[in-house]
Amino acid sequence: MYTEKDYTDIRAQLHRRLMVFGIPALVALAGVIVAACFRIQWLAIGGTLLVGAYAIFCYGLLLYPVIAYGRHLNNVLHGRVRTLTGAFKEMEEGTVIRDGVHYYPMLLNVGNMDSVEDDRLFYFDANLPRPDWKQGEMLTVTSHDKAVGAWVRA
């Protein structure tokens, strides 16, 4: 599902966004410092508030989703993973947000299909195309925590 190229691409995207949104923030911060040196109090306070609001906006809306997805890829590719084989039970249509990443919740059953105690919850990346699994199909899933990193038909 994922390759090292995916991870390097998301890291490059994060660096591009940091440059695009960080340079104007540094210029504005330099203006605040100059205003403080010349004791232009209203400009220093107003500039500080604007730089702070800009930083919070850029981080929350533009940087955090890329950071969270990069963390997900790092965990799946380089983190501690486990493998589980079970029968595919269902995948929800709606997405959920877990640790800042959008996922489709899915269930694998490792025992009796009618027993809820044998169900295992996993999260499939919503940025990837949904697979065409049929109910009862045997899958081997490699996951970090509950996030699916790779799968094969068993």
Side-chain angles (χ1 to χ4, degrees):
M1 283 180 35
Y2 302 110
T3 63
E4 284 295 323
K5 184 179 180 327
D6 296 330
Y7 182 66
T8 56
D9 288 347
I10 201 75
R11 297 298 299 166
Q13 181 181 4
L14 177 61
H15 289 296
R16 282 192 308 272
R17 286 189 181 195
L18 280 171
M19 294 300 286
V20 167
F21 300 115
I23 291 174
L26 290 176
V27 170
L29 188 60
V32 167
I33 292 171
V34 168
C37 288
F38 288 118
R39 297 182 188 263
I40 306 172
Q41 190 173 14
W42 65 271
L43 186 58
I45 293 171
T48 302
L49 292 174
L50 285 176
V51 169
Y54 178 76
I56 291 170
F57 172 78
C58 287
Y59 179 78
L61 202 60
L62 305 169
L63 295 176
Y64 181 72
V66 179
I67 292 169
Y69 198 71
R71 189 178 310 124
H72 161 68
L73 288 180
N74 185 40
N75 289 337
V76 167
L77 291 172
H78 308 121
R80 184 174 286 185
V81 295
R82 61 187 172 99
T83 304
L84 180 85
T85 300
F88 175 71
K89 195 164 184 181
E90 68 179 11
M91 182 181 289
E92 291 185 19
E93 293 293 324
T95 62
V96 296
I97 299 174
R98 186 168 186 268
D99 297 329
V101 181
H102 291 266
Y103 294 104
Y104 293 114
M106 61 180 272
L107 291 176
L108 283 185
N109 191 285
V110 295
N112 184 4
M113 284 293 276
D114 296 328
S115 175
V116 178
E117 291 140 3
D118 293 334
D119 289 346
R120 303 295 183 261
L121 175 67
F122 288 99
Y123 295 103
F124 189 84
D125 189 355
N127 294 316
L128 301 176
R130 289 172 62 105
D132 59 343
W133 297 327
K134 306 292 184 242
Q135 187 172 6
E137 186 174 1
M138 294 300 289
L139 302 173
T140 299
V141 172
T142 303
S143 65
H144 173 82
D145 192 16
K146 293 182 181 182
V148 175
W151 65 272
V152 293
R153 288 183 167 89

